[in-house]
Amino acid sequence: MSRPVDAAANAALFIADPAHQETHDRLVWGMRQHRDKAVAAIPEWERLRDLASKLKEHTLTHLDRYLEQFEANATKRGAQVHWARDAAEHNEIVAQIFLDRGARRIVKSKSMLQEECGMMPYLAGRGLEVVESDLGERIQQLDHEGPSHIFVPAIHKLRTDVAALFAKNLGTDPDDSEPHHLAEAMRQNARPKFLRADAGMTGANFAVAETGGFVVCTNEGNADIGATLPKLHVASVGIEKLVPRARDLGVFVRLLARSGLGSAMTQYTSHFHGPKPGGELHIVLVDNTRSARLGSPEFWEVLKCIRCGACMNTCPVYRRSGGLAYGATYSGPIGVILDPGFDHRKYGELPFHSTLCGSCTEVCPVKIDVSGQIAKWRRVIASEGLMAPGESIGMKALGATLAHPATFHAAEAIGLAAIAHLPRAVVDNPLNPWTKHREMPTPPAETFRSWHERNRGGA
């Protein structure tokens, strides 16, 4: 049985380190601010969001047809298309492709799907050497950690953390945290590995049914290294990545980087149509719970996600707790609604790590009702009895109180009086989670309801 992730304890560790927590909050919020400026420069932004949402909805409701069309067209272009029902099948297919061709050294670009499938440890267990080509992912690989953000995997680290990590693994000066020097050190270390790689791996941001091609968006061009230097290229593609036509790409490419980083486009938008001359291209189409989600009336819309990270950048919980606190491949609001779909018990606490402020829904470029999905997952987790005993009792008591106005008003009066008159040591007791990280606020002289009755003449 999988062990539940203790996200609250993980977050407490991150919050206890002010330097990391404050820097993370500032940098992630900065991406949200860049996003807002980029959006303000596009008058038709809301129409783009609406169009993207409808395109995704149309594709998902005709997914069987578009997948078959993609397979037929990709095959015509010389690619070999494989189908993986789950993570285990994906990993076995990929490993067998490499082993059958004697490929032992693999260069890989960032792919959340391959992270989701646990591909790296699986390939390592089969004796294959895999090197990440994305700088952030390589940093995380050296530190034996997963990505903490979809777009910027090592955003939770300080420059000094990276300097110490490189000194340990690459022999650089631990006191030199100059970004240019760190990037150059990684370049010198990684480039020989890229040049001698037997095969390359990528994910895909979008796959086009009409052409049988797919698109990979990066800011370092690292996907192109893996796809062009070795003769063998393997791409892992989630089945929800399909778009019907090549012209649909224009909508999503305009939304992707602006939503995530605030830039007009990713630095590289690479299109792949069949293998290069003399090479092999294998495309692995992966389900791994996506069909089950598509069949769910409540949770299908999460499949519209284009992995931009905008919901993470705006989330007050993610910004302060860091991505690794979620203990899952996907973190932030999108992780909160994706991860329980893989394992209700293991990730059952995550839907409660949200303020339900709705900011994630407001910034989502494909109009996923993220906060609404979070609330639905809370109901699922509660109905299955997977909440912590204390939380379950507390929520039932709160529900009973809120359901009866007289009880609520009595509890309100008692609570305010207790905060105002009880000794601070009693209020700030270890059983009160509110005061673990903050001061209990001073109670107002009167409630909003009493003010409203006094000034506006009734409830």
Side-chain angles (χ1 to χ4, degrees):
M1 182 181 297
S2 56
R3 184 178 179 182
V5 170
D6 192 346
N10 297 339
L13 288 175
F14 191 73
I15 293 170
D17 185 339
H20 284 83
Q21 190 274 323
E22 291 169 8
T23 303
H24 184 268
D25 187 15
R26 175 172 54 80
L27 293 177
V28 175
W29 182 243
M31 290 192 287
R32 162 64 204 265
Q33 291 177 310
H34 291 318
R35 174 260 179 205
D36 291 347
K37 290 179 182 176
V39 168
I42 306 293
E44 69 274 24
W45 182 258
E46 288 304 317
R47 282 195 290 136
L48 277 175
R49 287 182 72 209
D50 190 52
L51 181 56
S53 177
K54 289 176 178 174
L55 280 169
K56 276 290 185 181
E57 184 171 342
H58 166 80
T59 310
L60 290 168
T61 52
H62 300 81
L63 191 57
D64 53 344
R65 171 159 62 90
Y66 286 124
L67 283 168
E68 290 176 356
Q69 185 182 5
F70 175 81
E71 180 186 32
N73 287 328
T75 303
K76 287 178 186 174
R77 291 179 177 275
Q80 299 181 52
V81 179
H82 310 259
W83 297 81
R85 184 182 296 108
D86 53 26
E89 278 195 4
H90 166 266
N91 293 343
E92 176 58 28
I93 290 169
V94 171
Q96 209 56 50
I97 292 171
F98 293 145
L99 293 172
D100 288 348
R101 290 155 183 79
R104 291 291 187 275
R105 296 166 298 197
I106 319 299
V107 59
K108 169 185 170 297
S109 70
K110 184 158 65 70
S111 164
M112 295 305 295
L113 174 59
Q114 290 162 359
E115 293 285 344
E116 172 190 314
C117 292
M119 189 198 69
M120 294 283 278
Y122 180 84
L123 293 184
R126 299 291 297 269
L128 300 171
E129 177 194 355
V130 183
V131 177
E132 294 278 4
S133 57
D134 176 272
L135 176 58
E137 287 286 1
R138 181 60 176 158
I139 290 170
Q140 291 304 94
Q141 184 183 26
L142 291 175
D143 213 10
H144 306 291
E145 290 182 334
S148 70
H149 189 286
I150 287 176
F151 242 113
V152 276
I155 188 113
H156 61 293
K157 281 184 166 65
L158 304 177
R159 288 189 297 167
T160 50
D161 297 330
V162 179
L165 185 69
F166 282 12
K168 178 181 177 183
N169 290 275
L170 309 182
T172 55
D173 181 356
D175 297 320
D176 186 356
S177 59
E178 173 63 35
H180 173 74
H181 295 167
L182 294 171
E184 185 60 27
M186 177 55 73
R187 184 176 292 112
Q188 295 301 324
N189 175 268
R191 187 164 293 275
K193 296 180 172 61
F194 298 160
L195 292 174
R196 64 185 176 87
D198 301 314
M201 290 202 70
T202 67
N205 292 87
F206 310 102
V208 183
E210 177 185 55
T211 65
F214 61 92
V215 174
V216 183
C217 301
T218 70
N219 284 309
E220 301 172 25
N222 52 298
D224 300 80
I225 291 176
T228 56
L229 281 178
K231 291 185 177 179
L232 178 58
H233 175 194
V234 177
S236 305
V237 183
I239 59 174
E240 83 284 14
K241 298 291 186 180
L242 266 290
V243 297
R245 304 160 299 185
R247 66 180 183 181
D248 299 328
L249 287 172
V251 176
F252 294 103
V253 169
R254 292 186 76 191
L255 290 168
L256 179 65
R258 285 183 172 89
S259 297
L261 301 174
S263 54
M265 291 181 68
T266 49
Q267 297 297 314
Y268 297 84
T269 303
S270 304
H271 298 246
F272 298 97
H273 296 93
K276 67 179 184 180
E280 280 186 64
L281 171 62
H282 294 258
I283 301 171
V284 187
L285 294 171
V286 185
D287 188 320
N288 201 33
T289 76
R290 286 159 175 78
S291 291
R293 295 175 197 264
L294 187 58
S296 166
E298 291 196 311
F299 298 115
W300 69 269
E301 69 171 310
V302 72
L303 295 175
K304 294 195 297 183
C305 177
I306 60 171
R307 307 290 194 268
C308 68
C311 61
M312 307 166 79
N313 299 342
T314 198
C315 176
V317 176
Y318 172 83
R319 296 202 319 265
R320 289 164 179 80
S321 65
L324 298 183
Y326 294 76
T329 298
Y330 302 100
S331 55
I334 190 61
V336 166
I337 61 175
L338 273 173
D339 297 322
F342 296 115
D343 190 328
H344 290 197
R345 180 175 295 279
K346 183 175 183 179
Y347 301 115
E349 188 187 323
L350 296 187
F352 300 92
H353 285 257
S354 168
T355 63
L356 293 182
C357 65
S359 184
C360 46
T361 300
E362 292 298 318
V363 300
C364 178
V366 288
K367 292 194 167 184
I368 298 173
D369 180 11
V370 182
S371 55
Q373 296 266 294
I374 294 173
K376 290 176 181 176
W377 270 115
R378 289 184 178 184
R379 286 198 291 271
V380 170
I381 299 302
S383 67
E384 295 180 354
L386 298 176
M387 292 176 65
E391 293 176 350
S392 180
I393 294 171
M395 293 302 288
K396 287 179 180 176
L398 180 62
T401 302
L402 295 177
H404 300 88
T407 306
F408 170 72
H409 297 320
E412 183 182 52
I414 293 171
L416 290 175
I419 295 172
H421 300 295
L422 286 176
R424 181 57 61 184
V426 175
V427 175
D428 295 348
N429 69 78
L431 297 178
N432 184 357
W434 179 270
T435 57
K436 285 184 179 178
H437 303 291
R438 59 181 79 81
E439 293 286 334
M440 182 64 79
T442 302
E446 63 179 334
T447 65
F448 174 75
R449 181 177 58 82
S450 64
W451 176 91
H452 195 275
E453 288 177 341
R454 182 165 53 80
N455 291 279
R456 303 292 171 84

